[in-house]
Amino acid sequence: MTWDSIKLNDALVPGNWVTGEKPTEQVEQALSVGFSHVDTAQAYRNEQEAGIAIRESGLARKEVFITTKYSGTNGRNIENSIRDSLGNLGVSYVNLYLIHHPRIAVPSISIAWEQFEGLKGAGVAKSIGVSNFGVEDLKTLLASAKIKPAVNQILLHPYVYERQKPILEFAKEHGIVIEAYSALSPLTTSPGGPLDKPLKKIADSKGVAPEQILLAWTKAKGAVVVTTSAKKKRLEGYLDAGDIKLSDEEIKAIDDAGARGAAQIRVKEIGRRLAWVGLLGVLAVGFSFVSGVDLF
């Protein structure tokens, strides 16, 4: 179960993370099998349940690494949001506090980040970071930042790897840890794609499950995995995935299949957009007949 602690630019963070839609049961179960990092957010509306699970685990506060995110929910500002989150979680500080998306960094990324730096200075957030930030967003932040973001939590799996690669490279250059969410999407929400075959082949050769290979691939890309499951056996398998080593050839096979899948997804997206344009055109013509408006 080798998910090593990750060195942030200002702290150490456990390499095994869990989040979930039913946090009380899932967090309790995850902590019981060996996970030590709980990830939640203001927008998930489950901080209170996550806090209950952490307390009921019997673990000391210092044994659990807690991440939550400022999401701008209900128009709450940063100061009020962190106060709400601490109250919901039942703690006096969080280990990591993230800006959930650059769009909610108001009135600007620079000003929002300055407020985050204040939270770190006050000790209510031991480390601060961002989520869903692109390269240009990070450049804007770093231009005025006194403290670099510790992490950037982004969508990452083989079907989006090429698209997200510039973010990974920029983060590595600036000492920002990448956290990967939805790492298992190719199997859970997009099965039947080009990845299925190489994942199964590699998994069979190692006597493990395909989802463990995806997690090992994510680790090989230098990212920390944020994942979840309601099933204890799967959580144990996720932990075991930390021991899996992939060869360069295996990683390339996954990369290549991911690129093929990305191309297929783009074609489907274009097809859907063209279908919508065609439908809107038909509706517009129909409306012109009904309303008596001549569109031509």
Side-chain angles (χ1 to χ4, degrees), residues 114 156 291:
E114 184 179 6
L156 183 62
S291 65

Side-chain angles (χ1 to χ4, degrees), residues 34 58 66 69 92 101 110 113 128 137 175 203 228 234 238 245:
I66 302 174
K69 308 174 190 73
S92 60
H101 196 282
S110 298
W113 188 249
I128 51 178
D137 302 316
T228 187
R234 288 202 174 190
Y238 295 167
K245 305 296 183 184

Side-chain angles (χ1 to χ4, degrees), residues 3-15 17 37 65 96 120 127 149-152 171-172 174-179 222-224:
W3 288 98
D4 301 323
S5 293
I6 307 299
K7 183 68 171 72
L8 303 181
N9 54 35
D10 59 358
L12 278 173
V13 55
W17 303 42
H37 189 156
F65 194 103
L96 181 60
K120 179 175 170 61
S127 297
V151 304
N152 184 18
K172 184 176 182 180
H174 292 274
I176 301 169
V177 170
I178 289 292
E179 304 168 5
V224 176

Side-chain angles (χ1 to χ4, degrees), residues 220-235:
K221 294 301 182 182
V224 176
V225 178
V226 181
T227 189
T228 187
S229 176
K231 297 181 179 179
K232 183 178 180 179
K233 186 175 180 180
R234 288 202 174 190
L235 287 172

Side-chain angles (χ1 to χ4, degrees), residues 67-276:
T67 293
T68 193
K69 308 174 190 73
Y70 165 65
S71 310
T73 305
N74 298 328
R76 303 287 280 170
N77 62 27
I78 290 172
E79 183 179 346
N80 289 332
S81 292
I82 186 65
R83 189 181 302 120
D84 290 346
S85 292
L86 294 176
N88 289 334
L89 289 161
V91 297
S92 60
Y93 69 91
V94 292
N95 299 87
L96 181 60
Y97 197 45
L98 308 180
I99 298 177
H100 209 157
H101 196 282
R103 284 201 301 267
I104 55 97
V106 293
S108 69
I109 288 175
S110 298
I111 292 175
W113 188 249
E114 184 179 6
Q115 293 175 33
F116 261 58
E117 291 175 331
L119 298 180
K120 179 175 170 61
V124 293
K126 299 299 183 183
S127 297
I128 51 178
V130 296
S131 181
N132 299 302
F133 271 49
V135 171
E136 292 306 314
D137 302 316
L138 291 171
K139 286 180 178 179
T140 298
L141 185 155
L142 291 173
S144 61
K146 296 181 179 67
I147 301 170
K148 281 198 251 185
V151 304
N152 184 18
Q153 188 177 116
I154 63 171
L155 172 69
L156 183 62
H157 54 74
Y159 288 149
V160 299
Y161 173 61
E162 284 300 322
R163 187 178 84 202
Q164 300 290 62
K165 194 174 180 180
I167 302 174
L168 272 70
E169 292 173 346
F170 186 88
K172 184 176 182 180
E173 179 184 349
H174 292 274
I176 301 169
V177 170
I178 289 292
E179 304 168 5
Y181 67 80
S182 298
L184 299 179
S185 288
L187 295 175
T188 59
T189 62
S190 304
L195 274 168
D196 285 17
K197 186 175 180 180
L199 287 176
K200 185 178 186 306
K201 180 180 179 181
I202 297 168
D204 288 347
S205 72
K206 297 179 184 296
V208 298
E211 60 263 27
Q212 291 176 292
I213 297 301
L214 265 182
L215 296 181
W217 174 89
T218 307
K219 182 181 179 182
K221 294 301 182 182
V224 176
V225 178
V226 181
T227 189
T228 187
S229 176
K231 297 181 179 179
K232 183 178 180 179
K233 186 175 180 180
R234 288 202 174 190
L235 287 172
E236 291 171 341
Y238 295 167
L239 289 177
D240 290 341
D243 291 325
I244 298 172
K245 305 296 183 184
L246 300 177
S247 67
D248 291 343
E249 292 76 13
E250 289 168 337
I251 292 172
K252 185 178 186 305
I254 295 171
D255 289 350
D256 291 346
R260 291 196 301 274
Q264 291 178 10
I265 291 169
R266 283 195 296 272
V267 169
K268 289 179 181 178
E269 282 295 323
I270 292 171
R272 277 196 289 268
R273 289 175 186 174
L274 290 175
W276 270 108

Side-chain angles (χ1 to χ4, degrees), residues 27 31 38 49-59 64 66 89:
V27 172
L31 292 172
V38 177
E49 291 85 351
I52 292 170
I54 292 167
R55 289 192 296 276
E56 291 182 351
S57 73
L59 295 171
V64 184
I66 302 174
L89 289 161

